[in-house]
Amino acid sequence: MLTHLAAAIGVLGLLTIVPGPDMAVVTRRALVAGPADAFRTIAGIATGLLLWGALAVAGLAAALAAAPVAYLVVKLLGAGYLVLLGVQDLRRHRAAASAVPEAGPSAGAGSPCRTGLISNVLNPKIAVFYTGLLPALAPPQLPAAWAMTLLVLLHDALTIAWLGGYTLLLSRAGPVLQKPRIRGALGRTTGVVLIGFGLVVATTAG
């Protein structure tokens, strides 16, 4: 079982480090309001993964993935939310790179934890991931529900570790990122990336 579990961790780790909407959302919060907000965003993302995991174990995620209309609704809502975040970033940084946003909750356009949670919950690809790939990675020596629960918890832990480490790197680069021109350029880039992810989510087949 240990060999099977190690292989599963390797696959989950590779999937975790691939840049996606979660990393873009964390980057946005780190640039707008600092590392503390970024960590709260990670907590929201981790909560979203646990919710999807619970739905997958209960079989509801598979039902969503198999329901074209419901899947489309969640997909479009998630895409729209990412585009909205991206547009907000572009509007915030369009005036001038020299305008440094005020740090704090008011600068982040809503609760960071809620931002992470919503962006994750409105990502139906996780439902497909948890119902399609996770069962294939589950150790056959364990009951299916326990094996799925274990893999969900491992994926959640890997996500927290990866995004947390990424946030720490951003915080160490704080003096550089606080330069108005660099901060403005990164903010606009993050906005474009978020919009791009939103369009990809909206146009990718389920």
Side-chain angles (χ1 to χ4, degrees):
M1 186 180 79
L2 291 179
T3 301
H4 197 107
L5 196 57
I9 292 174
V11 173
L12 290 173
L14 287 174
L15 292 173
T16 299
I17 65 176
V18 173
D22 287 346
M23 181 173 285
V25 170
V26 170
T27 303
R28 174 181 185 269
R29 296 301 307 207
L31 292 177
V32 170
D37 261 30
F39 282 119
R40 295 187 187 98
T41 305
I42 294 170
I45 291 169
T47 302
L49 289 176
L50 292 177
L51 287 175
W52 274 118
L55 291 175
V57 172
L60 298 179
L64 172 63
V69 175
Y71 182 90
L72 178 62
V73 169
V74 175
K75 180 173 75 169
L76 292 179
L77 286 173
Y81 187 67
L82 291 174
V83 171
L84 174 62
L85 294 179
V87 170
Q88 287 177 342
D89 274 1
L90 291 180
R91 292 181 62 184
R92 183 180 296 113
H93 294 281
R94 73 181 176 182
S98 60
V100 180
E102 181 183 355
S106 61
S111 163
C113 187
R114 185 170 65 246
T115 299
L117 176 63
I118 293 174
S119 67
N120 198 271
V121 167
L122 292 181
N123 184 359
K125 292 297 181 183
I126 300 178
V128 176
F129 170 60
Y130 276 5
T131 58
L133 179 60
L134 246 60
L137 298 175
Q141 299 88 346
L142 295 175
W146 285 104
M148 284 286 291
T149 300
L150 176 61
L151 291 181
V152 168
L153 292 175
L154 285 172
H155 183 225
D156 205 51
L158 288 170
T159 299
I160 293 172
W162 171 249
L163 293 178
Y166 172 68
T167 299
L168 290 176
L169 286 176
L170 286 179
S171 67
R172 293 196 65 176
V176 175
L177 298 181
Q178 290 301 322
K179 293 181 179 179
R181 186 170 299 178
I182 293 178
R183 188 184 185 110
L186 286 175
R188 289 188 292 272
T189 300
T190 302
V192 171
V193 169
L194 283 166
I195 293 172
F197 277 130
L199 295 178
V200 169
V201 169
T203 57
T204 302

